Amino acid sequence: MGLFTKTVPDGVWATVVGDVYKEAAILGEAFSSSIREESLRGQFDSASEILRVFPAILYSLKVSANPSSSEAKQAKKDLDRGLKDYADSAKQALKLLQNVSQGGLGERLQSGGFSSRAAAGRIAFQKTVFESIAEKAESRLSRAGDYIARFH
């Protein structure tokens, strides 16, 4: 774990994390697609699944051996950060969806007047935040996947 983990050849590392990457990529793509399609149900379902599965994936990456080359180490870092970004984005999305559906912003949105405009602005801002985090995660996971794909 961490500093004292032994290194393995890059191909071995890519093979070991390949299945983990595939699972993460499927879940991440489902979340990103639901954002692009503006599917609230899809966002809720995929965000919930990410928060359920990604902690175990992150732990398995943390305890796995490190690759030896700097390029592979960057791929591992991209994979780790992409997973963390997706988890952060999913938390933000769920928080917003719950806030809108369980009163709070949802009630103010329907009240009209200044309160409604303020709530709409806050929703738009929070939506932009979790969408931009998800875009960054998608990019990082893609870079990691490009590297891993060389060995499969």
Side-chain angles (χ1 to χ4, degrees):
M1 227 156 98
L3 186 60
F4 300 108
T5 303
K6 82 175 214 178
T7 59
V8 295
D10 296 347
V12 171
W13 175 80
T15 301
V16 168
V17 300
D19 290 337
V20 170
Y21 164 76
K22 287 176 189 171
E23 182 180 8
I26 289 168
L27 293 172
E29 180 53 37
F31 184 59
S32 293
S33 292
S34 69
I35 291 172
R36 285 189 290 274
E37 296 164 6
E38 298 187 1
S39 165
L40 294 180
R41 185 75 213 166
Q43 288 173 29
F44 180 81
D45 291 344
S46 57
S48 297
E49 188 68 7
I50 282 173
L51 292 176
R52 186 183 71 75
V53 173
F54 277 23
I57 293 174
L58 281 163
Y59 179 77
S60 70
L61 281 177
K62 184 177 180 180
V63 298
S64 68
N66 290 318
S68 53
S69 75
S70 61
E71 187 178 18
K73 287 177 184 176
Q74 182 61 50
K76 182 177 182 177
K77 189 182 290 187
D78 284 336
L79 181 57
D80 183 62
R81 287 181 178 168
L83 293 170
K84 288 177 181 175
D85 286 345
Y86 264 129
D88 185 34
S89 181
K91 284 179 195 171
Q92 297 294 326
L94 284 178
K95 187 187 303 183
L96 176 61
L97 291 169
Q98 289 170 347
N99 199 356
V100 169
S101 68
Q102 297 175 352
L105 287 176
E107 288 177 6
R108 281 187 260 148
L109 194 58
Q110 296 175 3
S111 69
F114 177 76
S115 179
S116 177
R117 289 190 305 273
R122 183 167 175 202
I123 289 169
F125 173 74
Q126 288 179 323
K127 186 174 184 282
T128 301
V129 168
F130 81 76
E131 286 174 345
S132 67
I133 296 170
E135 282 179 24
K136 185 170 51 171
E138 188 173 21
S139 173
R140 286 178 169 161
L141 226 53
S142 175
R143 284 194 307 263
D146 290 346
Y147 182 82
I148 293 167
R150 293 184 201 170
F151 298 94
H152 287 268

